[in-house]
């Protein structure tokens, strides 16, 4: 047998453009338009491949994505660890090596193709650029539809007028309501298309299937239509006079085409005439046609049903979603009559069903002998259909062999479920542009550039970058945090609080709505005042906290924790839209619009005064938990008197675009008193000294307001709020619940350390709680911690233990308020 | 010649002592345990499709026991101990591979809750270690610990005894052994209703293959439990969501442990055949179609190639979805349903494969004795009335 390129012919190749490539260390020539497979056949390279498990010699068997044998690693001009040679478009300088089913992922950088994503919305998407696909596309276009036509081959006959034709594009998966993902793969790039179409037409054709007979995996065995494709489109003749084994007339036609109508030679086994045959050629070129399977992967992936067609011996489409149509061979049109032969009995251990998994008729028989009866179980016992070709040639064959061996009808069981993607796709292509910093949006405050210039160390809080501390030369974190804390306690510090979630809640029912969302009453809040509030889950557990400012009777400005801003807005909308559509309330996120700078410390008022403001800052005129609109440093501002540090403190909210200007003005105005920027770490330590909780750190979704010693925040009247019913459950009122306490110890307790009454040294050890927050308190100059401890409030004065690997730390239970328990300092 | 023989395909009798609805891992392990430990062999497992074709066939097989709360640690640790002896117990190599499970932390909040879990695990007798980023790289050199990652690795918990097993082999081994002990396994029989007796007592099921009576009926239907419960007028605190998983093409071995990251939704191990097995995130919407959304896969693979530069050229081969039944506290419900004759095992959500041996063990005991096994007593349906929830969102999230 000798394969060769004929002197002319080949509708897909351009003989004026010769290309050089390397395969398995040898240099060859091909033409533009070739696939690696066609170019190899043109050079009489018919074998050279091995099977993955048994290591049997294998050759090119197909001309498309169903190829089970001829796998290569491509290393130039791009890298691909494993791909069928039939799917590699030949380019100049291509370098490939055979690969036996298993790829090697490179640990060094290798040449890659660009990956990008595109979205398109059309009226009609046609998958498959054959005759029926093009006809369907033209018909849709002439109706006035915007039409996309995709075809996996790199050569597609010209798309009809007014149709967007995408060659080299494979529809990978089909999702509800005409949403199709497709991969366009060119030598330069890989582009993932998200197509949304009102109508989808699958003109995906049919794939020829092999027959299982002894030795059917040897090089030289090829699907009959593949040989015809090589002849017709690539001008490659696989053999002068190949043998044929067929169940249908297309096999005969294909062989005639390969032989250019030449004299009939060589053995032909036609099961349509001669149902039993024993003389299968064991070498040389052998064309096989076991019949045709409509390509219904996409159809079945979206729940389309299939029916067995006896005359064609294949599964054809049944019912599917209304927006999806199947056309041409995929729909069972032009499929030849078939005298089905699935396997030719003989030596079963070399009669291969799934060549890429090296699975044979004998393996199927074994699985059935062991008691399995379902094709799905046979697949799982043998792994048939799970290789790179995803069972394109083995799926229907396996089901038919199972049916035949079990003596059930040919339609008893069909092939196993088809799953996306239709062809393997590189991870990077699916990731597309979402790489590096674009993996998730990075949110930076308007003051961020200043933080960077002043060597802030950042932490990720949700999507935000927040300064954690601002180390000076030679300072470690502890030193920087201590300096920042002490500055706040003795003079003033400034914190960029812009990341706090901010939502405006507007409408005649805004107050009533917030009453239902928070445990305390927001409707009694006076305009100009602020109230701290808790939001609970349906289970009665603390979900988020923040403050509400009443801007007007029908208008509130509420804040959320940085990480929960989106969750809180979602929750507002969910309740408004699904449960209380009668409420007239609009919620708008204004997190990005307002920057927020907190100035805290005994000198805060002086600094603000020095900065220049038209607000009367005297405590009488501007008391704690109120806000005022005015100008600060000439910038329109909303100034709120709230405090998360326990010190006199103002939060200054301004238009984000003026935030940096405000920040710098504050620093200048406070320069004389040593104003100090502080980060989240100092903020956390300062609030812990005051026993203020952080939702999500001191709480974990199992903590009620009362557990935190904040029962006062839950209103006791009969009006409803989210979580109220759960607060009355037996467990929520248990007397041995964990409660927030303070802990004093000689050594710093690790956060997360478990607490016990008695260190038994044995596991499981009964625990009574855990450390939620722990700091070396700069103001008290000693370690302090917050903890949730069973019956904690009754334990004040007791000593409990934190058993750690190698040591145990004793801690005294105290009130969680370590600093300024009278709360004298927030007025300055 | 073939050494293995699997379960016998049974024709259903008219009456059994126990009818188990759902032939997934949990239903089969329960049947086995009823027969083996409690001598109750007059048992029928009714499965609507082919055996163990639900979540049992779809999960990413991660096994670990490092849950936060004592109640959870107790049952998952019991399960892990059963996994460690399962090959001997069932006489089948179920490919249990304790290759170590890493849970990565990517922000300070995650570090804090991971440390807490390590401390809690240790006192609960569950092996747990905290690894610094450098330790992470030493344990699994493929992981990119560069601080310049969008969400850099700040550390990880490691449970060395955790790992994976071959799901089909587990299910088939339970089925085969149960079948040998006399349990009837009836496939392709969908339960469409319940037979009710005096006082509404459940006395059996109607199926597409006829009525099957049972003195006790035990649900083990995972994602479809709420549909079944609705047939007896029971509303359960369950939400069913699609959860997806995927595998790559086959690659030479590169990854010899399990890596999980909640923050960026990456869960990955490499199967012996060579494919990278990855779990994706949960779809936010409720549904019963075993089909998830593609954007979930996009987000997951984007995160995966950041964490593992070597995955850049790996190729996605197959994706699929299962329907997971999730409780509000991310813990299961096991025990009496409140209706005479009907028992519940559900709510295992995204993480019930690892629990298969213990769930079967404890559910069988509960069915056999009518009293909750100590392991599942805290996981009663009643907890949603009393409020004694076992909140494992921190440990479970979408993590399997
Ligand atoms: C993608 C994915 C990844 C996962 N990864 C992990 C993991 O890594 N680790 C882990 O521990 N867990 C994981 N899980 C969860 C785990 O798979 C499940 O918690 C567990 O399998 C559920 O128990 P089961 O095996 O009995 O369920 P299933 O196998 O789903 O069994 C339920 C059975 O009930 C049958 N049934 C339903 N309705 C009826 C009816 N009306 N009549 C008769 N039969 C019925 C179903 O057909 C099904 O076979 C994952 C789940 C998914 C979907």
């Amino acid at each position: 047998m000798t394969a060769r390129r004929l002197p002319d012919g080949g509708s897909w190749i351009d003989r004026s453009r010769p290309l050089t490539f390397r395969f398995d260390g040898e240099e060859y020539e091909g033409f533009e338009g070739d696939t690696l497979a066609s170019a190899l056949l043109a050079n009489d390279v018919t074998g050279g491949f091995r099977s993955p498990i048994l290591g049997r010699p294998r050759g090119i068997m197909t001309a498309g994505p169903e190829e089970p044998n001829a796998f290569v690693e491509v290393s130039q001009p791009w890298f691909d660890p494993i791909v069928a040679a039939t799917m590699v478009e030949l380019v100049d300088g291509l370098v490939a090596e055979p690969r036996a089913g298993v790829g090697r992922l490179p640990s060094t950088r290798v040449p890659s193709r660009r990956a990008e994503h595109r979205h398109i919305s059309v009226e009609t998407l046609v998958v498959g650029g054959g005759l029926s696909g093009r006809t369907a596309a033209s018909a849709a276009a002439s109706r006035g539809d915007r039409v996309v036509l995709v075809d996996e081959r790199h050569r597609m006959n010209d798309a009809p007028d007014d149709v967007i034709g995408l060659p080299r594009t494979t529809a990978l998966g089909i999702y509800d309501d005409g949403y199709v993902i497709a991969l366009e793969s060119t030598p330069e790039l890989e582009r993932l298309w998200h197509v949304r179409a009102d109508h989808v037409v699958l003109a995906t054709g049919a794939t020829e299937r092999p027959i299982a007979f002894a030795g059917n995996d040897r090089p030289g065995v090829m699907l009959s239509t593949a040989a015809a494709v090589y002849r017709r489109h690539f001008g490659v003749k696989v053999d002068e006079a190949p043998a044929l084994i067929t169940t249908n007339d297309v096999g005969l036609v294909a062989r005639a085409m390969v032989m250019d109508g030449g004299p009939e030679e060589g053995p032909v086994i036609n099961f349509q005439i001669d149902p039993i045959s024993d003389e299968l050629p064991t070498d040389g070129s052998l064309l096989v046609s076991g019949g045709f399977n409509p390509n219904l992967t996409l159809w079945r992936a979206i729940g389309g049903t299939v029916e067995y067609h006896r005359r064609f011996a294949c599964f054809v489409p049944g019912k599917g979603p209304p927006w999806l149509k199947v056309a041409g061979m995929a729909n069972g049109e032009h499929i030849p009559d078939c005298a089905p032969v699935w396997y030719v009995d003989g030596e079963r251990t070399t009669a291969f069903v799934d060549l890429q998994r090296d699975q044979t008729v004998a393996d199927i028989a074994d699985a059935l002998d062991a008691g399995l009866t379902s094709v799905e179980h046979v697949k799982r016992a043998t792994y048939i259909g799970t290789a790179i070709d995803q069972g394109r040639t083995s799926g229907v064959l396996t089901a038919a062999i199972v049916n035949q061996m079990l003596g059930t009808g040919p339609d008893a069981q069909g092939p196993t479920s088809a799953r996306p993607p239709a062809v393997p796709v590189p991870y990077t292509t699916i990731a597309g542009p979402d790489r590096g910093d674009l993996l998730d949006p990075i949110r930076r405050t308007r003051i961020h550039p200043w933080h960077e210039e002043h060597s802030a160390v950042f932490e990720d809080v949700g999507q935000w970058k927040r300064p954690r501390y601002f180390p000076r030369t030679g300072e470690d974190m502890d030193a920087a945090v201590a300096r920042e804390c002490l500055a706040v306690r003795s003079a003033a510090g400034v914190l960029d609080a812009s990341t706090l979630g901010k939502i405006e809640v507007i409408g005649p029912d805004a107050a009533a709505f917030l009453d239902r969302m928070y445990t305390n009453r927001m409707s009694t809040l006076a305009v100009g005042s602020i109230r701290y509030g808790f939001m609970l889950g349906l289970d009665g557990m603390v979900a988020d906290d923040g403050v509400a400012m009443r801007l007007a009777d029908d208008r509130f400005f509420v804040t959320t924790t940085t990480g929960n801003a989106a969750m809180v807005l979602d929750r507002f909308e969910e309740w408004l839209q699904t449960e209380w559509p009668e409420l007239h309330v609009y919620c708008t996120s204004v997190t990005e619009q307002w920057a927020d700078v907190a100035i805290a410390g005994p000198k805060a008022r002086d600094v603000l005064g020095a900065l220049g403001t038209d607000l009367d800052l005297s405590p009488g005129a501007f008391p704690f938990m109120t806000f005022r609109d005015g100008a600060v440093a000439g910038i329109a501002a909303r100034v709120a008197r709230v405090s998360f540090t326990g010190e006199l403190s103002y939060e200054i909210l301004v238009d984000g675009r003026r935030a940096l200007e405000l920040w710098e003005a504050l620093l200048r105005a406070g320069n004389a008193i040593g104003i100090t920027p502080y980060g989240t770490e100092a903020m956390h330590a300062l609030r812990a000294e005051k026993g203020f909780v952080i939702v999500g750190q001191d709480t974990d979704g199992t903590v009620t307001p009362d557990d935190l010693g904040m029962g006062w925040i839950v209103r006791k009247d009969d009006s409803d709020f989210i979580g109220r019913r759960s607060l009355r459950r037996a467990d929520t009122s248990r007397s041995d619940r964990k409660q927030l306490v303070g802990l004093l110890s000689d050594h710093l307790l690790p956060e997360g350390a478990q607490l016990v009454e008695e260190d038994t040294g044995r596991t499981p050890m009964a625990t009574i709680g855990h450390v939620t927050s722990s700091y070396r308190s700069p103001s008290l100059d000693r370690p302090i911690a917050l903890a949730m401890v069973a019956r904690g409030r009754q334990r004040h004065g007791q000593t409990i233990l934190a058993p750690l690997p190698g040591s145990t730390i004793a801690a005294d239970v105290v009130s969680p308020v370590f600093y300024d328990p009278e709360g004298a300092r927030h007025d300055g | 010649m073939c050494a293995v023989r699997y379960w016998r395909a049974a024709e259903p009798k008219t009456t059994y002592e126990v009818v188990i609805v759902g032939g997934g891992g949990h239903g089969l392990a329960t049947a086995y345990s009823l027969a083996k430990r409690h001598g109750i062999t007059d048992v029928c497992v009714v499965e609507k499709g082919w055996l163990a074709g639900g979540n049992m066939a779809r999960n990413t097989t991660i096994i670990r026991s490092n849950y936060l709360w004592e109640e959870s640690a107790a049952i998952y640790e019991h399960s892990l101990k059963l996994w460690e002896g399962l090959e001997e117990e069932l006489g089948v190599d179920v490919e249990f591979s304790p290759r170590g499970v890493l849970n990565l932390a990517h922000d300070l909040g995650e570090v804090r809750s991971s440390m807490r879990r390590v401390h809690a695990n240790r006192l609960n007798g569950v092996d747990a270690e905290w690894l610094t980023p450098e330790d992470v790289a030493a344990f699994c050199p493929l992981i990119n610990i560069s601080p310049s990652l969008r969400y850099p690795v700040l550390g990880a918990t490691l449970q060395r005894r955790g790992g994976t097993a071959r799901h089909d082999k587990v299910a088939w081994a339970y089925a085969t052994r149960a079948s040998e002990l006399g349990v009837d396994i009836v496939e392709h029989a969908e339960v469409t209703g319940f037979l009710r007796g005096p006082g509404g007592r459940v006395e059996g099921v109607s199926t597409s293959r006829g009525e099957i009576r049972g003195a006790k009926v035990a649900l083990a239907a995972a994602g479809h439990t709420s549909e079944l419960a609705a047939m007896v007028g029971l509303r359960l605190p369950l939400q069913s969501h699609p959860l997806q998983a995927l595998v790559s093409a086959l690659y030479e071995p590169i990854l010899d442990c399990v890596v999980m990251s909640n923050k960026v939704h990456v869960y990955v191990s490499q199967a012996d055949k060579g494919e990278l097995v990855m779990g994706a995130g949960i779809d936010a919407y409720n549904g019963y179609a075993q089909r998830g959304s593609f954007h979930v896969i996009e987000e997951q693979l984007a995160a995966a190639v950041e964490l593992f530069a070597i995955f850049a050229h790996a190729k996605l081969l197959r994706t699929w979805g299962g329907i997971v039944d999730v409780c509000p506290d991310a813990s299961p419900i096991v025990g009496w349903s409140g209706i005479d004759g009907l028992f519940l095992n559900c709510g295992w959500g995204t993480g019930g494969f690892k629990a298969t041996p213990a769930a079967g063990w404890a559910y069988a005991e509960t069915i056999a004795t009518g009293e909750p096994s100590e392991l599942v007593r805290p996981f009663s349906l009643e907890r949603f009335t009393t409020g004694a929830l076992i909140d494992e969102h921190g440990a479970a999230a979408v993590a399997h």
Side-chain angles (χ1 to χ4, degrees), chain A residues 103 194 369-370 390 420 425 427 440-441 700 731 805, chain B residues 5-6 116 122 150-151 250 298 314 316-317 319 386:
Chain A
H194 296 66
D369 281 350
Q390 290 241 54
V425 196
Y427 283 9
D440 202 24
D700 59 2
D731 197 76
Chain B
R5 273 221 62 93
Y6 296 111
R116 177 182 175 195
R122 281 191 178 142
R150 174 67 184 91
Y151 292 115
L250 273 55
E298 289 181 324
L316 174 65
L317 189 61
T319 67
T386 63

CSV table of all heavy atoms in Angstrom, one decimal, chain A residues 103 194 369-370 390 420 425 427 440-441 700 731 805, chain B residues 5-6 116 122 150-151 250 298 314 316-317 319 386:
chain,number,residue,atom,x,y,z
A,103,GLY,N,-1.2,13.4,27.0
A,103,GLY,CA,-0.4,14.6,26.7
A,103,GLY,C,0.6,14.9,27.8
A,103,GLY,O,0.5,14.4,28.9
A,194,HIS,N,-19.7,33.5,22.1
A,194,HIS,CA,-20.9,33.3,22.8
A,194,HIS,C,-22.0,33.8,21.9
A,194,HIS,O,-22.2,35.0,21.7
A,194,HIS,CB,-21.0,34.1,24.1
A,194,HIS,CG,-19.9,33.8,25.1
A,194,HIS,ND1,-18.6,33.9,24.9
A,194,HIS,CD2,-20.1,33.2,26.4
A,194,HIS,CE1,-17.9,33.5,26.0
A,194,HIS,NE2,-18.8,33.1,26.9
A,369,ASP,N,-20.8,-10.1,31.2
A,369,ASP,CA,-20.7,-11.4,31.9
A,369,ASP,C,-20.7,-11.2,33.4
A,369,ASP,O,-21.2,-12.0,34.2
A,369,ASP,CB,-19.4,-12.1,31.5
A,369,ASP,CG,-19.6,-12.8,30.2
A,369,ASP,OD1,-20.7,-12.9,29.7
A,369,ASP,OD2,-18.5,-13.3,29.7
A,370,ALA,N,-20.2,-10.1,33.8
A,370,ALA,CA,-20.1,-9.8,35.2
A,370,ALA,C,-21.4,-9.3,35.8
A,370,ALA,O,-21.5,-9.0,37.0
A,370,ALA,CB,-19.0,-8.8,35.5
A,390,GLN,N,-14.3,11.4,22.5
A,390,GLN,CA,-15.6,11.4,23.2
A,390,GLN,C,-16.6,10.4,22.6
A,390,GLN,O,-17.7,10.7,22.5
A,390,GLN,CB,-16.2,12.8,23.2
A,390,GLN,CG,-15.5,13.7,24.1
A,390,GLN,CD,-16.4,14.2,25.2
A,390,GLN,OE1,-17.0,13.4,25.9
A,390,GLN,NE2,-16.5,15.5,25.4
A,420,PRO,N,-20.9,18.5,26.7
A,420,PRO,CA,-20.1,19.5,26.1
A,420,PRO,C,-18.7,19.5,26.8
A,420,PRO,O,-18.6,19.0,27.9
A,420,PRO,CB,-20.8,20.8,26.5
A,420,PRO,CG,-21.7,20.5,27.6
A,420,PRO,CD,-22.0,19.0,27.6
A,425,VAL,N,-11.1,22.1,24.6
A,425,VAL,CA,-10.8,23.5,24.5
A,425,VAL,C,-9.8,23.8,25.5
A,425,VAL,O,-9.9,23.4,26.7
A,425,VAL,CB,-12.0,24.4,24.8
A,425,VAL,CG1,-11.8,25.8,24.3
A,425,VAL,CG2,-13.3,23.8,24.2
A,427,TYR,N,-7.8,25.5,28.5
A,427,TYR,CA,-8.3,26.3,29.6
A,427,TYR,C,-8.2,27.8,29.4
A,427,TYR,O,-9.0,28.6,29.8
A,427,TYR,CB,-7.5,25.9,30.9
A,427,TYR,CG,-7.9,24.6,31.5
A,427,TYR,CD1,-8.8,23.7,30.9
A,427,TYR,CD2,-7.4,24.2,32.8
A,427,TYR,CE1,-9.1,22.5,31.5
A,427,TYR,CE2,-7.8,23.0,33.4
A,427,TYR,CZ,-8.6,22.1,32.7
A,427,TYR,OH,-8.9,21.0,33.3
A,440,ASP,N,-10.6,39.2,38.6
A,440,ASP,CA,-11.7,39.7,39.3
A,440,ASP,C,-11.4,41.2,39.3
A,440,ASP,O,-10.2,41.6,39.6
A,440,ASP,CB,-11.8,39.1,40.7
A,440,ASP,CG,-13.1,39.2,41.3
A,440,ASP,OD1,-14.1,39.3,40.5
A,440,ASP,OD2,-13.3,39.2,42.5
A,441,PRO,N,-12.4,42.1,39.1
A,441,PRO,CA,-12.1,43.5,39.1
A,441,PRO,C,-11.3,43.9,40.4
A,441,PRO,O,-11.7,43.4,41.5
A,441,PRO,CB,-13.4,44.2,39.0
A,441,PRO,CG,-14.4,43.1,38.5
A,441,PRO,CD,-13.8,41.8,38.9
A,700,ASP,N,-20.0,34.6,63.0
A,700,ASP,CA,-19.8,33.6,61.9
A,700,ASP,C,-21.1,33.0,61.4
A,700,ASP,O,-21.1,31.9,61.0
A,700,ASP,CB,-18.9,32.5,62.5
A,700,ASP,CG,-19.5,31.8,63.7
A,700,ASP,OD1,-20.6,32.1,64.1
A,700,ASP,OD2,-18.9,30.8,64.2
A,731,ASP,N,-33.6,27.1,70.6
A,731,ASP,CA,-32.2,27.1,70.7
A,731,ASP,C,-31.6,28.5,70.8
A,731,ASP,O,-30.6,28.7,71.4
A,731,ASP,CB,-31.6,26.4,69.4
A,731,ASP,CG,-30.2,26.0,69.6
A,731,ASP,OD1,-29.9,25.0,70.3
A,731,ASP,OD2,-29.3,26.8,69.1
A,805,PRO,N,-0.8,23.5,70.1
A,805,PRO,CA,0.2,22.5,70.0
A,805,PRO,C,1.5,22.9,70.8
A,805,PRO,O,2.0,24.0,70.6
A,805,PRO,CB,0.5,22.5,68.5
A,805,PRO,CG,-0.6,23.2,67.9
A,805,PRO,CD,-1.2,24.1,68.9
B,5,ARG,N,-18.3,-10.3,39.8
B,5,ARG,CA,-19.7,-10.4,39.5
B,5,ARG,C,-20.4,-9.2,40.2
B,5,ARG,O,-20.1,-9.0,41.4
B,5,ARG,CB,-20.3,-11.7,39.9
B,5,ARG,CG,-20.2,-12.8,38.9
B,5,ARG,CD,-21.5,-13.6,38.8
B,5,ARG,NE,-22.6,-12.8,38.3
B,5,ARG,CZ,-23.0,-12.7,37.0
B,5,ARG,NH1,-22.3,-13.3,36.1
B,5,ARG,NH2,-24.0,-12.0,36.7
B,6,TYR,N,-21.2,-8.5,39.5
B,6,TYR,CA,-21.9,-7.4,40.1
B,6,TYR,C,-23.2,-7.8,40.7
B,6,TYR,O,-23.6,-9.0,40.7
B,6,TYR,CB,-22.0,-6.2,39.1
B,6,TYR,CG,-20.7,-5.7,38.7
B,6,TYR,CD1,-20.2,-5.9,37.4
B,6,TYR,CD2,-19.8,-5.0,39.6
B,6,TYR,CE1,-19.0,-5.4,37.0
B,6,TYR,CE2,-18.6,-4.5,39.2
B,6,TYR,CZ,-18.2,-4.7,37.9
B,6,TYR,OH,-17.0,-4.2,37.5
B,116,ARG,N,-8.9,28.7,62.6
B,116,ARG,CA,-9.9,28.3,63.6
B,116,ARG,C,-10.3,26.8,63.3
B,116,ARG,O,-10.4,26.0,64.3
B,116,ARG,CB,-11.2,29.1,63.4
B,116,ARG,CG,-12.3,28.7,64.4
B,116,ARG,CD,-13.5,29.6,64.1
B,116,ARG,NE,-14.7,29.1,64.9
B,116,ARG,CZ,-15.9,29.5,64.7
B,116,ARG,NH1,-16.2,30.4,63.8
B,116,ARG,NH2,-16.9,29.0,65.4
B,122,ARG,N,-8.1,19.8,65.6
B,122,ARG,CA,-7.1,19.1,66.4
B,122,ARG,C,-7.7,18.6,67.7
B,122,ARG,O,-7.5,17.5,68.1
B,122,ARG,CB,-6.0,20.1,66.8
B,122,ARG,CG,-5.0,20.2,65.6
B,122,ARG,CD,-3.8,20.9,66.1
B,122,ARG,NE,-2.8,21.0,65.1
B,122,ARG,CZ,-2.0,22.0,64.9
B,122,ARG,NH1,-2.1,23.1,65.7
B,122,ARG,NH2,-1.1,22.0,63.9
B,150,ARG,N,-3.8,37.8,41.7
B,150,ARG,CA,-5.0,38.7,42.1
B,150,ARG,C,-5.4,38.4,43.5
B,150,ARG,O,-5.7,39.2,44.3
B,150,ARG,CB,-6.1,38.4,41.1
B,150,ARG,CG,-7.4,39.1,41.4
B,150,ARG,CD,-7.3,40.6,41.3
B,150,ARG,NE,-8.5,41.3,41.7
B,150,ARG,CZ,-8.7,41.8,43.0
B,150,ARG,NH1,-7.9,41.5,43.9
B,150,ARG,NH2,-9.8,42.4,43.3
B,151,TYR,N,-5.5,37.1,43.8
B,151,TYR,CA,-5.8,36.7,45.2
B,151,TYR,C,-4.7,35.7,45.7
B,151,TYR,O,-4.8,34.5,45.5
B,151,TYR,CB,-7.2,36.0,45.4
B,151,TYR,CG,-8.3,37.0,45.1
B,151,TYR,CD1,-9.2,36.8,44.0
B,151,TYR,CD2,-8.5,38.0,46.0
B,151,TYR,CE1,-10.2,37.7,43.8
B,151,TYR,CE2,-9.6,38.9,45.8
B,151,TYR,CZ,-10.4,38.8,44.7
B,151,TYR,OH,-11.4,39.7,44.5
B,250,LEU,N,-6.3,13.7,28.9
B,250,LEU,CA,-5.3,12.9,29.8
B,250,LEU,C,-3.9,13.5,29.7
B,250,LEU,O,-3.4,13.8,28.6
B,250,LEU,CB,-5.3,11.5,29.3
B,250,LEU,CG,-6.3,10.5,29.8
B,250,LEU,CD1,-7.7,11.0,29.6
B,250,LEU,CD2,-6.1,9.2,29.2
B,298,GLU,N,-16.3,29.1,33.0
B,298,GLU,CA,-15.3,30.1,32.5
B,298,GLU,C,-14.6,30.7,33.7
B,298,GLU,O,-13.4,30.9,33.8
B,298,GLU,CB,-16.0,31.3,31.8
B,298,GLU,CG,-16.5,30.8,30.4
B,298,GLU,CD,-17.1,32.0,29.6
B,298,GLU,OE1,-17.9,32.8,30.2
B,298,GLU,OE2,-17.0,32.0,28.4
B,314,ALA,N,-3.8,22.9,29.3
B,314,ALA,CA,-4.7,21.7,29.5
B,314,ALA,C,-6.0,22.0,28.7
B,314,ALA,O,-6.3,23.2,28.5
B,314,ALA,CB,-4.9,21.5,31.0
B,316,LEU,N,-10.1,21.3,28.3
B,316,LEU,CA,-11.4,20.9,28.8
B,316,LEU,C,-12.0,19.8,27.9
B,316,LEU,O,-12.1,20.0,26.7
B,316,LEU,CB,-12.3,22.1,28.9
B,316,LEU,CG,-13.8,21.8,29.3
B,316,LEU,CD1,-13.8,21.3,30.8
B,316,LEU,CD2,-14.6,23.0,29.2
B,317,LEU,N,-12.3,18.7,28.5
B,317,LEU,CA,-12.8,17.6,27.7
B,317,LEU,C,-14.3,17.4,27.8
B,317,LEU,O,-15.0,17.2,26.9
B,317,LEU,CB,-12.0,16.3,28.0
B,317,LEU,CG,-12.3,15.1,27.2
B,317,LEU,CD1,-11.9,15.3,25.7
B,317,LEU,CD2,-11.6,13.8,27.7
B,319,THR,N,-17.8,18.4,30.5
B,319,THR,CA,-18.4,19.1,31.6
B,319,THR,C,-19.8,18.4,31.9
B,319,THR,O,-20.4,17.9,30.9
B,319,THR,CB,-18.7,20.6,31.4
B,319,THR,OG1,-19.7,20.7,30.4
B,319,THR,CG2,-17.4,21.3,31.0
B,386,THR,N,-36.2,24.0,66.2
B,386,THR,CA,-35.5,24.5,67.5
B,386,THR,C,-34.5,25.6,67.2
B,386,THR,O,-34.2,26.4,68.1
B,386,THR,CB,-34.8,23.3,68.2
B,386,THR,OG1,-33.7,22.9,67.3
B,386,THR,CG2,-35.7,22.2,68.5
